[in-house]
Amino acid sequence: MTTRRIFLLAFLLTTALLAGAVTVLATRDSRDTTSQSPAPDSVAPSAVTPSAQSRTTRARSRAAGKAIMGNAWSSTWSATVPSRIAVPARALGSGRCAALYGWATARSAVPRGTASAAFTLSAPDDSPVVVRSLRIVKGRTVPAPQGQDVECVGAVDRTVGQNLHEWGELSLDAPREVRLSRYVRPGGTTGGIVDARTMGCSCEWWIELEVLEGGAARTVRIDDAGRPFTIASPVARIGAPADDDAQRYGAPDLALARGDGGADARATNGLSVSGTRLLSGSDQEMWAVTNRKVRDLARITADLDVPGAVCPRLERSLMAAGARPAAHATYAVLFADKSPDMDAETITDISLHVEKPRRLDPEPTGYACYPDDRDLQGNTSREEATVLIDPATQGDSDPSDLPVFTGEPVTYYQESARGPATDALFFGVSATGPADVEYRFTIEVTLKSPSGKVAHYTLDDAGRPFVIAARPVGEIPGQGQHLYREVGKKVG
């Protein structure tokens, strides 16, 4: 064998040995990297689907989350829709927050200032879970949204249970961990609502739970069906403090859009004035009319044996479907003053500016609901005055002005150091006439301070007049096409 052949053979053997060593090292490095990487149940929520989580040997519990408007009558949901498309009229006004929220979220609306999320966590059938802590995590920064600002005052999301536990209001600007010990029995479920707040973050975020499952610690990340939640810094409010105050007295939620012609003009300096129709009281009959039959009421009236629950749900569902209150309704004018030099008392004149009667086409469908043990006189204890709109006072041509209060004192009460000083006046509006007639009106308010300053406000329903349908003379709500009585009675 020549020297050249011996050298070539030695070179090939050396190369083979080096290649084998590199392969072993690469395999070892790969194994080390795998052992150091996060477990499948603790990677970013967008990287692992719920079905993939449930297939892991350690992570057999299931978690789900969804973005919601809010969970209390005092909640305010504010968002920006990244589009210049005008908000449709059907999604604005009293009782329309669900429609506004659905319209806005379908167009990728980004919550401003505060974002709420509901979640559930289910334990495996054969093993308990202990929740040890909760936190919200800030993800990547996203551009601040540009477009149409919308707002809901009284943002209660009725797609989630109202008894869900509030797990906390947490700041993305100063993250912290909430320590707790929540035991979930095998096969059981826990859940709740988390509010995320920020003053300067335009970013993605999600919820993380630290849990013990089957004796092993793991991190559960909760997002919005595989995508992080989003939030951006707050914008100027659309609604006025008086709109917030109205929620305390039973006002329906109020859906607003910036520049809709309604709320922006209500605040002057520190004073704001708001007008609203109140939802029917617990002992007050409800009567409403629509241009079409509302078909989803059957599931509500299937539970007539629950007093105090059916009529309020019927009223909210009818309002969401665009129904008009009929026969009689209670209205409130709310005053709120945040200025440091506010007057302790002012004098107000209030009147209704009623438009020409309108005929409904086709003939409307009537709905009535009577609470259990209702008072035949209705709930008029709050009303300090009542106005009647009928053909005799209204006529059939020009608009008319009907006085409600003249020279009525308004006294501002400071209920807390943080909130505005407030007062409220309540009155009833009754309407009679043909069955297919409705009346539209605005509430005209003139305030006169002791110093002689005069301020005038025109109050409406998010840029549109208030509406009330007539009750035919001699008829009562019980003669409507669809009549429901709580505790097991249904007519029509």
Side-chain angles (χ1 to χ4, degrees), residues 144-155:
Q146 302 292 324
Q148 175 73 60
D149 292 336
V150 296
E151 182 175 286
C152 172
V153 182

Side-chain angles (χ1 to χ4, degrees), residues 81-363:
V81 182
S83 170
R84 294 295 180 181
I85 299 175
V87 183
R90 60 174 175 77
L92 294 174
S94 300
R96 304 293 180 85
C97 277
L100 176 64
Y101 183 75
W103 180 88
T105 53
R107 289 157 180 81
S108 303
V110 178
R112 306 303 297 252
T114 302
S116 299
F119 72 91
T120 58
L121 174 68
S122 300
D125 292 337
D126 58 353
S127 175
V129 169
V130 179
V131 183
R132 304 299 300 273
S133 68
L134 177 148
R135 60 180 174 266
I136 57 175
V137 180
K138 180 165 59 174
R140 68 184 182 90
T141 300
V142 297
Q146 302 292 324
Q148 175 73 60
D149 292 336
V150 296
E151 182 175 286
C152 172
V153 182
V156 178
D157 195 319
R158 302 187 183 279
T159 64
V160 296
Q162 299 305 297
N163 59 347
L164 279 179
H165 177 69
E166 287 277 358
W167 289 54
E169 296 181 357
L170 303 177
S171 172
L172 285 164
D173 303 327
R176 65 182 179 89
E177 193 165 40
V178 179
R179 295 287 182 180
L180 42 85
S181 181
R182 177 71 60 87
Y183 177 82
V184 187
R185 61 176 176 78
T189 299
T190 189
I193 293 174
V194 172
D195 295 325
R197 299 183 179 273
T198 184
M199 291 301 295
C201 175
S202 181
C203 55
E204 297 176 341
W205 66 280
W206 58 86
I207 303 167
E208 287 188 350
L209 304 178
E210 296 295 337
V211 305
L212 289 177
E213 179 185 329
R218 63 178 286 240
T219 300
V220 178
R221 299 199 184 195
I222 299 168
D223 59 11
D224 193 3
R227 298 180 302 273
F229 304 109
T230 57
I231 194 171
S233 56
V235 294
R237 286 287 308 275
I238 302 175
D243 294 316
D244 299 336
D245 194 54
Q247 302 299 312
R248 297 190 304 146
Y249 297 102
D253 54 43
L254 181 62
L256 301 168
R258 194 173 309 280
D260 63 13
D264 288 316
R266 295 178 190 174
T268 303
N269 298 324
L271 176 65
S272 64
V273 184
S274 176
T276 184
R277 179 179 76 85
L278 303 184
L279 295 171
S280 300
S282 59
D283 60 347
Q284 181 179 4
E285 73 273 11
M286 182 277 300
W287 197 22
V289 298
T290 65
N291 284 340
R292 59 182 177 82
K293 185 176 180 179
V294 182
R295 300 188 181 279
D296 61 349
L297 298 185
R299 56 184 175 79
I300 299 175
T301 56
D303 205 7
L304 284 170
D305 292 331
V306 183
V310 175
C311 289
R313 291 184 63 196
L314 272 175
E315 184 173 24
R316 289 185 182 276
S317 295
L318 287 166
M319 286 186 66
R324 307 158 182 81
H328 185 90
T330 302
Y331 292 82
V333 176
L334 292 305
F335 306 87
D337 200 334
K338 299 179 69 174
S339 57
D341 56 345
M342 56 167 287
D343 294 312
E345 181 178 285
T346 58
I347 302 299
T348 184
D349 296 334
I350 297 178
S351 63
L352 303 186
H353 184 72
V354 187
E355 298 178 2
K356 177 182 176 180
R358 297 194 180 195
R359 295 279 180 173
L360 300 177
D361 186 30
E363 186 171 339

